[in-house]
Amino acid sequence: MSQDLFKNAQELLEKVQAFATESKDELERFRIDILGSKGKVRQLFGGMKAIEADKRKEFGQLANAVKQAAETKLSEIRELIEDKADETIKVPDMFIPVNQQGMGSRHPLAVVMNQMIDIFTRIGFVIEEGPEIETDWYNFTALNTPENHPARDMQDTFYINRMTDPAMLLRTHTSAAQSRVMKDRKPPIRIIVPGRVYRNETISARAHCQFHQVEGLYIDEGVSFADLKQTLLYFAREMFGEHTNIQLRPSFFPFTEPSAEMDVSCFVCDAKGCAICKHTGWVEILGCGMVDPKVLENCGIDSEKYTGFAFGIGIERTTMLRYKVDDIRLMFENDARFLRQFSSTL
Ligand code: PHE
């Protein structure tokens, strides 16, 4: 009799030790079955009376071992199941709304520069680039502005090294690339040069030591001032709207003759007069002229055969007028609050 009880208890111990589940419900059934108030452990202790006195202690120990094993099993499996539950929480919820990362946007200067490139390439101008670190010769001498010429004072220059021959400087205008192209190539030449230029100016709301220009140059047989005017009118209407008018005022540049500055009718007030056009109805946006024959000769182009025109458009100026920005420094500060306003422009 007691042998059967021992055997049962031993089997129960093994069963308990071997028990495994991943289900909470099954675990609960196991708990009730083994440790519950009417469970198997209770029954074991209840059966003690039937055991011979000298074996009771041993049986008691066995029953305790079953109880202990069941309790250990229970807490082990509980922990496992809870860990699993934790893991499911760690899986990211794909449907939680996220903070949207703002889309990047082009810088307003790039927007306007790209528009200018688009307008001129449409009528056959090709893009050229020149170095920002330039020689004195290309920036000045070739362009009819030799050393000690008073016109050099028109542009305050950052010299990198004045002692070298030729002297090195940061180009003061994209016209420097004009001389390079004229020297390297034969007409017909029809190019635009978008790029950055530098001048030793005190930084203020109106002036900066770096800014951008788009240079234009067209050289061929029989190019006239009328061609220049028509090209610029086309540009102005494409850029600022089809009702835009232009006016050319006589001016001076050492490398063009005749020279002019071009105003466009104010597109902010429709030429009625406002703060931006200083109540004149006109805003100035570029310098231009017929390439001086001396410049053509300096660069090895026959000035008897060829004529040409050139222009240089200020990109900051155009951008500021276009978007009514009244401080040029904003263009270079990379303040996200400023730049974000252009995120809808591509
Ligand atoms: N390079 C001149 C400037 O920076 C602009 C210009 C370009 C004028 C071409 C005439 C012809 O002011």
Side-chain angles (χ1 to χ4, degrees):
M1 169 72 179
S2 75
Q3 226 159 14
D4 278 356
L5 286 175
F6 266 95
K7 199 171 157 240
N8 281 348
Q10 190 58 44
E11 275 172 13
L12 185 60
L13 180 61
E14 279 159 24
K15 213 175 108 191
V16 165
Q17 281 167 343
F19 179 76
T21 182
E22 287 184 3
S23 144
K24 264 189 170 172
D25 291 346
E26 204 181 327
L27 186 64
E28 181 59 5
R29 281 197 293 277
F30 168 81
R31 186 188 69 78
I32 294 167
D33 183 36
I34 310 294
L35 298 168
S37 53
K38 290 175 189 153
K40 296 216 165 74
V41 169
R42 259 297 161 83
Q43 287 166 24
L44 281 183
F45 284 115
M48 290 269 278
K49 302 187 268 333
I51 308 278
E52 297 87 338
D54 59 336
K55 292 204 173 135
R56 230 173 249 166
K57 190 178 170 202
E58 195 188 336
F59 188 80
Q61 281 168 348
L62 186 57
N64 260 328
V66 175
K67 189 177 173 220
Q68 203 81 82
E71 277 166 357
T72 311
K73 198 58 150 187
L74 202 63
S75 66
E76 271 174 17
I77 294 181
R78 256 190 203 140
E79 227 164 79
L80 270 179
I81 291 178
E82 265 156 31
D83 274 2
K84 275 252 164 71
D86 274 0
E87 264 169 38
T88 50
I89 289 167
K90 274 180 214 138
V91 174
D93 180 349
M94 302 300 191
F95 299 99
I96 289 177
V98 291
N99 286 336
Q100 292 252 326
Q101 277 291 319
M103 282 270 282
S105 61
R106 282 196 207 284
H107 193 283
L109 292 177
V111 172
V112 170
M113 191 191 274
N114 285 344
Q115 277 170 353
M116 291 183 184
I117 290 173
D118 190 47
I119 290 169
F120 284 109
T121 49
R122 235 183 284 150
I123 54 168
F125 283 80
V126 293
I127 301 172
E128 279 295 333
E129 277 179 24
E132 290 177 19
I133 296 173
E134 203 30 296
T135 69
D136 185 282
W137 194 86
Y138 284 111
N139 196 80
F140 287 127
T141 312
L143 295 171
N144 216 12
T145 323
E147 189 104 30
N148 303 323
H149 191 288
R152 285 204 180 198
D153 292 342
M154 285 170 75
Q155 301 172 356
D156 289 318
T157 309
F158 283 120
Y159 280 92
I160 292 169
N161 197 339
R162 263 188 138 130
M163 292 316 179
T164 50
D165 186 23
M168 300 303 290
L169 46 77
L170 292 179
R171 68 177 176 191
T172 59
H173 51 183
T174 43
S175 305
Q178 263 192 46
S179 13
R180 280 186 177 268
V181 173
M182 283 190 278
K183 200 152 189 300
D184 291 353
R185 266 194 249 152
K186 301 227 157 338
I189 294 170
R190 187 156 46 181
I191 56 148
I192 49 166
V193 187
R196 184 174 292 178
V197 300
Y198 303 85
R199 288 186 201 174
N200 192 359
E201 307 241 8
T202 310
I203 297 172
S204 70
R206 311 238 109 227
H208 211 285
C209 58
Q210 56 171 336
F211 53 99
H212 298 78
Q213 297 183 323
V214 170
E215 189 83 10
L217 176 70
Y218 179 30
I219 299 172
D220 204 348
E221 287 179 49
V223 176
S224 72
F225 200 91
D227 297 318
L228 170 61
K229 195 174 171 190
Q230 195 55 35
T231 305
L232 294 179
L233 181 63
Y234 157 78
F235 162 70
R237 293 200 166 157
E238 289 293 311
M239 190 80 209
F240 301 113
E242 54 181 334
H243 300 298
T244 310
N245 285 318
I246 61 168
Q247 90 179 353
L248 291 165
R249 283 179 291 99
S251 184
F252 171 79
F253 298 102
F255 35 92
T256 47
E257 181 58 37
S259 303
E261 273 168 332
M262 187 180 96
D263 301 335
V264 291
S265 51
C266 183
F267 39 87
V268 177
C269 62
D270 232 353
K272 288 187 184 74
C274 68
I276 293 210
C277 64
K278 299 198 191 87
H279 300 280
T280 62
W282 296 99
V283 285
E284 184 205 317
I285 59 157
L286 61 85
C288 62
M290 300 305 290
V291 181
D292 194 306
K294 182 86 194 306
V295 172
L296 295 176
E297 294 298 333
N298 285 347
C299 299
I301 292 175
D302 182 355
S303 65
E304 294 290 319
K305 192 169 173 202
Y306 294 107
T307 50
F309 66 68
F311 55 83
I313 313 170
I315 299 180
E316 274 74 5
R317 199 165 163 67
T318 311
T319 310
M320 287 168 74
L321 291 167
R322 179 78 181 272
Y323 296 115
K324 299 181 199 164
V325 178
D326 59 5
D327 193 326
I328 193 173
R329 289 170 291 196
L330 286 166
M331 299 289 175
F332 302 106
E333 277 165 5
N334 283 337
D335 186 332
R337 290 167 303 178
F338 171 71
L339 297 174
R340 219 174 278 134
Q341 298 175 63
F342 303 91
S343 54
S344 58
T345 36
L346 281 177

